[in-house]
Amino acid sequence: MTLSATGTAARTVTDVFQPRNVLLVGMLAIGWAAAGHWSGLLWGFLGALCAGLIPAGYIEWERGRGTWGDRHVVDRTKRAPIFFVILGSIGTGSLVMVLGHAPRGILLAMLALWVMTVGLLAVNTVWKISVDSAVASAVVALLAVVHSPWWLAAYAMTVAVCWSRVALRYHTVAQTVAGASLGAATAAAALLM
């Protein structure tokens, strides 16, 4: 691949597998598995809305106001508000799920994503960690927990996300590995519950 072809491929991977997209597909599948029938899709959509779509909407709103240049928010010092929006949105969605008697699996997924976001916020205060890698890893691990260990094969997607973030120079290898590790660890903690 030439450098421009590599850049195009990296941009495609990072855009297709951005957190909102991974969370939309992943949370729908987690909700389906947790409930065992179609009503789980509704819980999954609520999870995707709160964990991915609302935060992505907030980022786009701030971009429109000129706060950030693009959805990647490469300056880590400007990321804290995003994490607080994510925490509030996941917390609100989780409360609705508890009150609505959502299946345990989707509640554990929301808890894992909330804990992961706390970890991302904490690390981000001193070092830039890859949110895209963390989300890709967490969703794959959570799918393996609620569906089947065969979902671990989807870590190929996580590796592709890590590669794209490094190729685009948004992160170092260490920052993507740290993000992916945090995502996997919080999902594993959910399994232990």
Side-chain angles (χ1 to χ4, degrees):
M1 253 194 240
T2 65
L3 185 57
S4 64
T6 300
T8 300
R11 169 68 53 208
T12 300
V13 168
T14 210
D15 287 345
V16 169
F17 296 112
Q18 64 182 287
R20 73 172 179 218
N21 297 342
V22 171
L23 285 162
L24 179 59
V25 173
M27 293 302 279
L28 287 171
I30 290 166
W32 175 271
H37 52 79
W38 69 269
S39 70
L41 293 175
L42 298 174
W43 293 117
F45 181 74
L46 177 60
L49 180 69
C50 295
L53 300 176
I54 288 173
Y58 171 71
I59 291 169
E60 291 303 317
W61 179 66
E62 287 290 359
R63 278 185 59 205
R65 294 179 54 207
T67 306
W68 305 308
D70 65 11
R71 75 155 188 91
H72 304 288
V73 191
V74 293
D75 181 355
R76 76 167 176 81
T77 63
K78 294 183 178 182
R79 290 176 151 191
I82 299 166
F83 291 123
F84 289 118
V85 167
I86 296 168
L87 289 171
S89 185
I90 291 174
T92 301
S94 297
L95 178 60
V96 170
M97 288 181 179
V98 167
L99 294 174
H101 307 289
R104 183 175 184 268
I106 194 76
L107 286 168
L108 288 176
M110 293 292 278
L111 177 61
L113 292 172
W114 195 87
V115 169
M116 180 186 75
T117 304
V118 170
L120 289 168
L121 173 61
V123 170
N124 191 72
T125 62
V126 294
W127 188 62
K128 186 178 173 188
I129 189 168
S130 175
V131 173
D132 291 57
S133 300
V135 170
S137 178
V139 168
V140 169
L142 287 166
L143 284 166
V145 169
V146 300
H147 268 289
S148 160
W150 286 102
W151 274 99
L152 293 174
Y155 261 104
M157 181 238 350
T158 303
V159 170
V161 168
C162 292
W163 165 79
S164 73
R165 306 304 288 169
V166 173
L168 292 169
R169 300 178 194 251
Y170 291 142
H171 292 286
T172 64
V173 171
Q175 290 166 342
T176 60
V177 169
S181 299
L182 178 62
T186 53
L191 171 64
L192 296 176
M193 299 171 110

